Amino acid sequence: MASQGSDDTMITAAIVKQMQANMDKKRKDKESKLLKLIQRDIDDALNTTREQFAKTVNDFQAEYENFQLKLAEIEDGIRKTWVHVAKLFDKHKKGDEQESNRIAQAEAIRRESQEQGLQLQKNAIDMHDRQCRFIKTKVQNGHMNS
């Protein structure tokens, strides 16, 4: 009879061992599925961030191109002012004080337009640099946290 009890104990131990192995396998399978889901979510988040970064860069480039067009318009105005000043100068080399005042005003307008154009250019470049640094920092920080 004692051998029957030890056989039952061995069978029970084998069943417990088999159940534990099955539970461990199921746990590992669930962990593996969870890790795959987490990896997929991380990949999706990174892809979204990359897409947003690319869109932002494209938006900045479009804004910069728009700025360059506006700057070109201002520079064209400056050139036209210079041409006008040169024509006035040629026409009235010995002009009177009134003509000299008009030329001075045209020069003041040209100078002011040029300063405005240069300030616009500087502001746009500064803004572009700040935004690029900001995005780069955000992307790097987001990537490091992943």
Side-chain angles (χ1 to χ4, degrees), residues 64 67-68 70-71 74-75 113-131 133:
Y64 187 67
F67 159 76
Q68 287 177 322
K70 288 179 182 178
L71 182 61
I74 291 169
E75 289 175 345
S113 295
Q114 185 175 20
E115 288 173 0
Q116 287 175 351
L118 291 172
Q119 188 61 45
L120 263 175
Q121 182 180 20
K122 181 188 178 302
N123 290 346
I125 290 169
D126 289 346
M127 182 180 79
H128 183 263
D129 288 342
R130 283 192 307 273
Q131 290 170 338
R133 284 193 303 275

Side-chain angles (χ1 to χ4, degrees), residues 16-77:
V16 167
K17 186 175 180 181
Q18 182 62 37
M19 286 176 61
Q20 185 65 38
N22 286 340
M23 287 173 47
D24 286 345
K25 184 180 183 308
K26 286 180 183 179
R27 181 184 51 80
K28 286 179 183 177
D29 287 346
K30 286 181 180 180
E31 285 175 356
S32 176
K33 286 179 184 178
L34 178 62
L35 288 174
K36 286 178 184 176
L37 288 173
I38 291 171
Q39 184 63 47
R40 187 199 68 209
D41 289 346
I42 289 171
D43 290 343
D44 289 348
L46 285 173
N47 287 334
T48 299
T49 301
R50 284 185 193 108
E51 289 168 4
Q52 289 172 344
F53 179 76
K55 182 188 179 308
T56 302
V57 167
N58 287 337
D59 290 347
F60 285 147
Q61 287 174 336
E63 284 296 320
Y64 187 67
E65 287 173 7
N66 193 19
F67 159 76
Q68 287 177 322
L69 288 174
K70 288 179 182 178
L71 182 61
E73 288 174 8
I74 291 169
E75 289 175 345
D76 285 345

Side-chain angles (χ1 to χ4, degrees), residues 92-107:
H92 302 287
K93 284 184 181 178
K94 297 180 180 181
D96 58 6
E97 184 177 333
Q98 186 180 18
E99 191 64 29
S100 293
N101 287 338
R102 278 192 278 186
I103 291 172
Q105 287 174 347
E107 172 60 18

